[in-house]
Amino acid sequence: MRLYLAIIEQKEFQMPANLTPQYFEAEKKLKTAKSPQEKTQILEELLSLVPKHKGTEKLQALLKTKIAKLKSAAQKKPTISKQGPTHHIDKAGAGQIVLIGPPNSGKSSLIKSLTNANPEVGNYPFTTRVPYPAMMLFENTQIQLIDTPPITPDYMEIWHSELIKGADRILLLLDLSCQNQAEILYPLLDKLKEKKIELIPDDQTIPSEAHLFYKIALIVANKTDLPLTEKNLNSLKNALKPGFSVIPISVSHGKGLEGLKKKMFSILHVIRVYSKVPGKKVGFEDPFTLKKGSSVMGLAKAVHKDFAQKLKFARIWSENKYQGQKVNRDHILEDEDIIELHI
Ligand SMILES: Nc1nc2c(ncn2[C@@H]2O[C@H](COP(=O)(O)OP(=O)(O)OP(=O)(O)O)[C@@H](O)[C@H]2O)c(=O)[nH]1
Ligand SMILES: [Mg+2]
């Protein structure tokens, strides 16, 4: 917004405007006006204070244009995205795992027991309505978990399927208190398919067809503490596609959770590498997490671009294999290797 319109106009057009002190007083207020409504009011006041003669015609026109622009902007409806809220969550930690499942399977309860977060838990469907991120510590590595609303045959918002498509991995949590597991599972998988998402087991190669989003998923069955769940677990195993296995847990009794955390880390396909400074102790509490299959060079890049450019060789230590041997930049790293980069 141009301020001190009158001064500029007078300079530009070399015509005496004979503006009053009230005009200049009102003009000062423009500087502090915050809302478009306030600005419009002040501009209208200025227009009323401008003496009406040939020398102020340009100024009057300018004020009128500004008022018209502000009024038309105020009338425009706010643009609402057709997609609704994005609910985008930035990734953090070694990987992002999105928890999905039917209502009441215990998704929020699981997040609550694995992290310091406190999502709402309730014995009724749709307790969770928006995504809820939380960080889970696995040994010395943080993994991001995201709680989501339930999936039902007739309910799944666009942002929900987008969140699943963007996730590193999926954890499908089912409720073992339900007798016919196929009746719950198949409509849920169909709903995902409708959104172009297909869950696949960890060891399956991702098909190359581009029309579906293939997401590596863990299938977890909760509430083993309840009666008859042994039978229901078998019904679930029979309902699953070949290649999938089920991890049975009880969040309430804290059963199976340590094994589940290990599995969550392992499906991320990442390794932890400790970068050691020559002559100093290794900091085991803060590893670099790299994609499985990364080389010494991959670590050098993660540490600093200078290391990547100037790297000559590295020394490696690992529990059973190496005790400080020299390796080159293409050497493939493994989980928990200790590396000393030399430049
Ligand atoms: N018996 C038993 N009940 C559980 C277990 N885990 C969760 N629950 C109960 O199951 C109910 C649903 O738990 P939530 O964690 O809210 O389930 P949710 O999957 O997040 O539910 P939505 O947000 O509605 O999808 C609550 O009453 C929990 O106390 C479990 O291991 N055993
Ligand atoms: Mg919930």
Side-chain angles (χ1 to χ4, degrees), residues 107-108 120 127-128 147-148:
K107 300 176 291 297
S108 304
E120 199 182 336
T127 311
T128 307
D147 191 10
T148 62

PDB file of all heavy atoms in Angstrom, residues 107-108 120 127-128 147-148, ligand 2:
ATOM      1  N   LYS A 107      -5.441 -48.767  18.308  1.00  0.00           N
ATOM      2  CA  LYS A 107      -4.346 -48.004  17.686  1.00  0.00           C
ATOM      3  C   LYS A 107      -3.816 -46.928  18.634  1.00  0.00           C
ATOM      4  O   LYS A 107      -2.617 -46.805  18.851  1.00  0.00           O
ATOM      5  CB  LYS A 107      -4.836 -47.345  16.371  1.00  0.00           C
ATOM      6  CG  LYS A 107      -5.312 -48.352  15.344  1.00  0.00           C
ATOM      7  CD  LYS A 107      -5.870 -47.699  14.099  1.00  0.00           C
ATOM      8  CE  LYS A 107      -7.195 -46.978  14.331  1.00  0.00           C
ATOM      9  NZ  LYS A 107      -8.303 -47.840  14.758  1.00  0.00           N
ATOM     10  N   SER A 108      -4.755 -46.163  19.195  1.00  0.00           N
ATOM     11  CA  SER A 108      -4.324 -45.075  20.093  1.00  0.00           C
ATOM     12  C   SER A 108      -3.719 -45.655  21.369  1.00  0.00           C
ATOM     13  O   SER A 108      -2.739 -45.119  21.896  1.00  0.00           O
ATOM     14  CB  SER A 108      -5.510 -44.174  20.433  1.00  0.00           C
ATOM     15  OG  SER A 108      -6.089 -43.696  19.249  1.00  0.00           O
ATOM     16  N   GLU A 120      -6.177 -39.726  22.719  1.00  0.00           N
ATOM     17  CA  GLU A 120      -7.417 -40.123  23.394  1.00  0.00           C
ATOM     18  C   GLU A 120      -7.739 -41.599  23.084  1.00  0.00           C
ATOM     19  O   GLU A 120      -7.643 -42.041  21.950  1.00  0.00           O
ATOM     20  CB  GLU A 120      -8.554 -39.233  22.891  1.00  0.00           C
ATOM     21  CG  GLU A 120      -9.744 -39.231  23.815  1.00  0.00           C
ATOM     22  CD  GLU A 120     -10.886 -38.381  23.256  1.00  0.00           C
ATOM     23  OE1 GLU A 120     -10.593 -37.473  22.449  1.00  0.00           O
ATOM     24  OE2 GLU A 120     -12.040 -38.640  23.616  1.00  0.00           O
ATOM     25  N   THR A 127     -12.863 -42.564  18.024  1.00  0.00           N
ATOM     26  CA  THR A 127     -12.298 -41.748  19.095  1.00  0.00           C
ATOM     27  C   THR A 127     -11.246 -40.831  18.475  1.00  0.00           C
ATOM     28  O   THR A 127     -11.144 -39.655  18.806  1.00  0.00           O
ATOM     29  CB  THR A 127     -11.633 -42.651  20.170  1.00  0.00           C
ATOM     30  OG1 THR A 127     -12.558 -43.668  20.521  1.00  0.00           O
ATOM     31  CG2 THR A 127     -11.226 -41.879  21.385  1.00  0.00           C
ATOM     32  N   THR A 128     -10.455 -41.397  17.566  1.00  0.00           N
ATOM     33  CA  THR A 128      -9.422 -40.600  16.880  1.00  0.00           C
ATOM     34  C   THR A 128     -10.007 -40.027  15.601  1.00  0.00           C
ATOM     35  O   THR A 128     -10.610 -40.763  14.820  1.00  0.00           O
ATOM     36  CB  THR A 128      -8.202 -41.492  16.546  1.00  0.00           C
ATOM     37  OG1 THR A 128      -7.799 -42.131  17.749  1.00  0.00           O
ATOM     38  CG2 THR A 128      -7.058 -40.692  15.968  1.00  0.00           C
ATOM     39  N   ASP A 147      -0.810 -42.077  14.696  1.00  0.00           N
ATOM     40  CA  ASP A 147      -2.133 -42.618  14.988  1.00  0.00           C
ATOM     41  C   ASP A 147      -3.109 -42.006  13.989  1.00  0.00           C
ATOM     42  O   ASP A 147      -2.980 -40.829  13.630  1.00  0.00           O
ATOM     43  CB  ASP A 147      -2.523 -42.195  16.415  1.00  0.00           C
ATOM     44  CG  ASP A 147      -3.761 -42.916  16.910  1.00  0.00           C
ATOM     45  OD1 ASP A 147      -4.209 -43.867  16.249  1.00  0.00           O
ATOM     46  OD2 ASP A 147      -4.283 -42.514  17.979  1.00  0.00           O
ATOM     47  N   THR A 148      -4.068 -42.789  13.521  1.00  0.00           N
ATOM     48  CA  THR A 148      -5.036 -42.243  12.549  1.00  0.00           C
ATOM     49  C   THR A 148      -6.446 -42.691  12.921  1.00  0.00           C
ATOM     50  O   THR A 148      -6.617 -43.639  13.692  1.00  0.00           O
ATOM     51  CB  THR A 148      -4.726 -42.723  11.109  1.00  0.00           C
ATOM     52  OG1 THR A 148      -4.844 -44.142  11.065  1.00  0.00           O
ATOM     53  CG2 THR A 148      -3.361 -42.298  10.652  1.00  0.00           C
TER      54      THR A 148
HETATM   55 MG    MG B   2      -7.865 -44.018  18.200  1.00  0.00          MG
END
